[in-house]
Amino acid sequence: MALLKLEDFDPNYRETFEGDDVKGLGVYAEGNEKIGTVSDVLVDENGHFRYLVVDLGFWIFGKKVLLPIGRTRIDYNADRVYAIGMTREQAENLPEYSDRMTADYDYEERVRGVYRTQPVEASAPVDTTADYSSYDRNSYNYEREPNLFGLNERDHQTFRLYEERLIANKNRYKAGEVAVGKRVETETARVSVPIEKERVVIERVTPSEAGTRVNPGEVAFQEGEVARVELYEETPDIHKEAFVREEVRVKKVVDRDTVEAQDTIRREELDVNTDGTPVVEQPNNTRSDLI
């Protein structure tokens, strides 16, 4: 994968480094001779520093070259970058870098080839038996050349400070169970039904013409004359029928709450015993592992 410019990888890198910016620092060779300035930084896909882009304006006007991070010593207190073992001959042999170009594997190999031919004494031993021809774009690893990309342990010593934090997680468990069923209850119901019954009422009355003589021809005595009247009555018809009374729906709802907890946590702090030696402590650099 091609290298990236630092600002393309992390547009807010200045905030990440809390104001420390390697860009613009002067670059010096042995003997405190200024050879140029840092114009940019190239990082890999993980954000690790791999090269400083150095403008060699004090040695070769208008030429920019790549300086492997393992060949540098950065002094933020003096605003300087020291190019370990850099010579004018080496600078002349390095391929020129342009801001418009892409630093791919082939270009890097040309750069690394120049530095391999002029090894310098470094914290990491140089493997003089390494077969660089066996490297290819698929298997190359920067860690295989610590003399170019490794940090100088003599000048850069690191150890980790640990701290404890409260981590809030949630565990889900069965708190209970609700069973919803049906049962049958009985009760005595009363209902009133009005009914009707017919009966015969016989009224015997004296007509107004009672005592009036009837002509013989008008009298017709008959025997067996009967008047029939049908009588009806109602009887109650009471039975039971089932009806839907209500509908019950069973569902779940979630009640939310916030639980607060506190505990005592520990954190390691740095104790510096200078033993009379002056020490300058730089501001915290959250990305110091990349340099």
Side-chain angles (χ1 to χ4, degrees), residues 246-264:
E246 64 178 329
E247 187 177 83
V248 178
R249 297 179 180 177
V250 180
K251 63 180 180 179
K252 296 192 299 184
V253 295
V254 178
D255 295 329
R256 291 179 172 83
D257 195 4
T258 300
V259 179
E260 295 184 357
Q262 64 181 24
D263 200 350
T264 302

Side-chain angles (χ1 to χ4, degrees), residues 159-210:
F159 59 93
R160 296 178 179 178
L161 300 178
Y162 295 91
E163 67 178 7
E164 294 179 327
R165 297 180 182 179
L166 289 180
I167 306 300
N169 292 318
K170 297 186 294 184
N171 295 321
R172 185 179 179 89
Y173 66 95
K174 183 178 180 179
E177 182 176 312
V178 177
V180 180
K182 297 191 299 181
R183 70 177 187 275
V184 178
E185 294 184 352
T186 60
E187 65 178 7
T188 301
R190 297 182 181 275
V191 64
S192 297
V193 179
I195 60 174
E196 294 180 352
K197 291 183 179 181
E198 297 178 344
R199 57 188 177 88
V200 176
V201 177
I202 300 175
E203 296 181 353
R204 301 178 72 172
V205 298
T206 302
S208 60
E209 63 267 24

Side-chain angles (χ1 to χ4, degrees), residues 1-4 9 42-50 108 140 142 287 290:
M1 181 176 179
L3 297 173
L4 302 172
F9 178 83
L42 300 185
V43 301
D44 61 17
E45 65 272 14
N46 295 317
H48 296 294
F49 281 25
R50 295 307 180 191
E108 281 192 80
Y140 183 81
Y142 291 102
R287 297 289 293 279
L290 305 182

Side-chain angles (χ1 to χ4, degrees), residues 10-11 40 60 63 71-72 97 110 129 136 143 153 162 183 211 234 241:
D10 183 3
D40 214 329
I60 307 174
K63 183 176 183 179
R71 293 290 183 91
T72 67
Y97 174 81
R110 293 171 56 198
T129 64
D136 59 57
E143 280 65 33
E153 296 180 359
Y162 295 91
R183 70 177 187 275
E234 295 175 336
E241 293 182 0

Side-chain angles (χ1 to χ4, degrees), residues 127-170:
D127 187 1
T128 57
T129 64
D131 182 11
Y132 299 114
S133 62
S134 64
Y135 291 0
D136 59 57
R137 66 183 70 249
N138 297 319
S139 64
Y140 183 81
N141 191 311
Y142 291 102
E143 280 65 33
R144 297 177 66 176
E145 295 191 85
N147 62 310
L148 295 183
F149 304 103
L151 298 180
N152 187 336
E153 296 180 359
R154 180 185 60 193
D155 298 327
H156 304 84
Q157 299 184 21
T158 61
F159 59 93
R160 296 178 179 178
L161 300 178
Y162 295 91
E163 67 178 7
E164 294 179 327
R165 297 180 182 179
L166 289 180
I167 306 300
N169 292 318
K170 297 186 294 184

